[in-house]
Amino acid sequence: MTRVGAGLFALALLASPLDALAAPNPPSIVPPTMDQTLKSVDPKVAPKGFSRDLPTPYTPNAEGLRPASTANADMAYGAYQRGRYKTAFREASKRIETNPKDAAALTLLGELYNQGLGVKQDPKRALEWYRLAAGLGDAHAMASLGLMAMDGRGQAKDQKAGKHWLEQASEKGEASASYNLALLQLSSGKPEDVVTAAALFEKAAKTELAPAQHDLGVLYLQGRGVAKDPAKAADYFRRAADNGDLAGEVEFAILLFNGTGVAKDEARAARYFLHAAARGNAIAQNRVARLYVVGRGVNKNLVEAGAWNLAAAAQGLSDAWLDQSLTGLTKEDRTRAEALGAERAKVQP
């Protein structure tokens, strides 16, 4: 799954046991809190009921190399951002002919070969261009070399070399390198490394890197590597959501609904859930369906509840309580719900 050519791998928010909004007797009443469906950043120490997957490495892409104003004035990077990859390749090649030490152009050629954009994908050629750019101090090229070494792309896997490249890139302020180094620290399972990981997440979060903001929010909510602080967790989840992170959007909605670290606001929480549901998140679809059943944060609407329940079920997230709550739908309303649910099920995160 990529965004804009190179590979920003989305952090998948997996479902933990779905007792959120679980209804006591009678089933028409919803308890006042939702469960926290965090994607833990530590698969070994995840609290009971939390999913245990590690986030996926964030792969940098050439689009983030230049501020928009510079990229638009630069024919090579401007062409890249518009998806005109052959033009980007041609213009970058011209720049290198004029100046063999043009690190930005060298990096762009590495990116194009790495992703197979406008040229045949060739990891070994990508390495050659990235190495030339890294030798000239280009942080993006260093970060890409780090991930390629760890993945064994175009070369034998070399974790030590990969980490070294990431460290160099992080020191130069490359956010994706700081983020991936944080993931490496977390994988050790050592408490002191969690502290280091938190600091690296924070460094990346300051650049508005959404996955880092989400994961730092997880640590603040759990009190791991940092002092437990639900308010800071909520703030980082909000920032991640505002920067397009689907996991952060769902987490912030849960905190809003519960009034954890942020003023309780069910209507605002519902809006975040609805936005995430529309983007294809199954957990959000399930939560929205439950809200529509009981009229919390939204007006009660069993057709909408049925539609969102079907959309979530299409992704494998079934809910017996919702199924039972919707048995009273008329034949006409059920047909409407099924049509809406089928349309929404086409949208995948």
Side-chain angles (χ1 to χ4, degrees):
M1 295 180 290
T2 63
R3 300 181 196 170
V4 191
L8 166 59
F9 292 93
L11 297 176
L13 181 65
L14 303 183
S16 60
L18 293 170
D19 54 352
L21 292 180
N25 294 322
S28 61
I29 298 175
V30 177
T33 61
M34 286 191 178
D35 64 333
Q36 193 67 29
T37 56
L38 289 172
K39 182 171 69 62
S40 171
V41 293
D42 188 338
K44 301 175 183 177
V45 197
K48 182 179 179 181
F50 287 30
S51 59
R52 297 171 178 266
D53 58 314
L54 270 172
T56 306
Y58 177 105
T59 305
N61 63 68
E63 185 186 46
L65 282 175
R66 295 288 180 274
S69 59
T70 304
N72 290 336
D74 181 299
M75 292 185 66
Y77 277 90
Y80 178 92
Q81 291 187 328
R82 293 191 298 272
R84 298 171 59 185
Y85 302 121
K86 290 184 178 180
T87 300
F89 181 86
R90 183 173 62 250
E91 294 300 326
S93 298
K94 288 181 181 178
R95 283 173 50 170
I96 293 170
E97 290 176 4
T98 302
N99 178 13
K101 292 187 177 182
D102 187 332
L106 293 167
T107 298
L108 180 54
L109 287 181
E111 188 70 21
L112 294 171
Y113 274 114
N114 191 23
Q115 300 302 321
L117 302 173
V119 293
K120 183 178 179 181
Q121 190 172 37
D122 190 336
K124 290 186 177 180
R125 292 290 299 277
L127 284 175
E128 293 172 3
W129 292 115
Y130 280 145
R131 284 169 178 159
L132 288 172
L136 294 169
D138 190 281
H140 173 83
M142 293 174 183
S144 296
L145 285 172
L147 292 181
M148 292 184 77
M150 290 185 169
D151 292 342
R153 282 180 54 77
Q155 61 192 310
K157 284 188 177 182
D158 190 334
Q159 299 294 310
K160 184 177 180 180
K163 184 178 180 182
H164 179 67
W165 280 121
L166 290 177
E167 288 172 342
Q168 289 190 69
S170 178
E171 289 173 2
K172 287 180 170 289
E174 172 60 54
S176 67
S178 297
Y179 178 76
N180 287 315
L181 279 174
L183 298 187
L184 288 175
Q185 295 297 121
L186 287 173
S187 67
S188 75
K190 299 177 181 178
E192 61 271 23
D193 288 343
V194 180
V195 175
T196 301
L200 288 165
F201 278 142
E202 185 170 15
K203 183 177 181 179
K206 287 179 179 178
T207 71
E208 300 303 321
L209 183 64
Q213 292 168 335
H214 169 267
D215 291 356
L216 187 56
V218 172
L219 295 183
Y220 271 113
L221 197 63
Q222 295 179 344
R224 296 179 48 246
V226 291
K228 188 172 183 177
D229 191 330
K232 284 188 176 181
D235 185 57
Y236 277 114
F237 287 146
R238 178 194 58 76
R239 288 170 60 187
D242 290 347
N243 284 317
D245 188 81
L246 193 51
E249 193 164 33
V250 176
E251 301 297 356
F252 184 57
I254 292 171
L255 294 187
L256 270 174
F257 188 93
N258 293 336
T260 303
V262 64
K264 182 178 177 66
D265 189 333
E266 293 186 3
R268 187 183 177 200
R271 290 195 294 272
Y272 273 92
F273 277 129
L274 277 166
H275 190 259
R279 294 173 65 193
N281 182 271
I283 292 175
Q285 291 170 344
N286 171 267
R287 301 309 191 262
V288 166
R290 284 177 170 249
L291 292 177
Y292 272 120
V293 166
V294 296
R296 295 278 292 272
V298 292
N299 293 325
K300 185 174 181 178
N301 188 322
L302 295 186
V303 172
E304 283 293 321
W308 286 118
N309 182 40
L310 289 170
Q315 297 192 63
L317 201 168
S318 58
D319 188 322
W321 180 81
L322 272 174
D323 293 340
Q324 179 63 34
S325 299
L326 297 168
T327 54
L329 281 172
T330 66
K331 183 178 180 180
E332 180 182 354
D333 284 346
R334 183 169 294 280
T335 299
R336 289 172 56 203
E338 288 173 351
L340 286 171
E343 187 64 30
R344 291 168 184 174
K346 296 177 183 177
V347 180
Q348 298 295 320

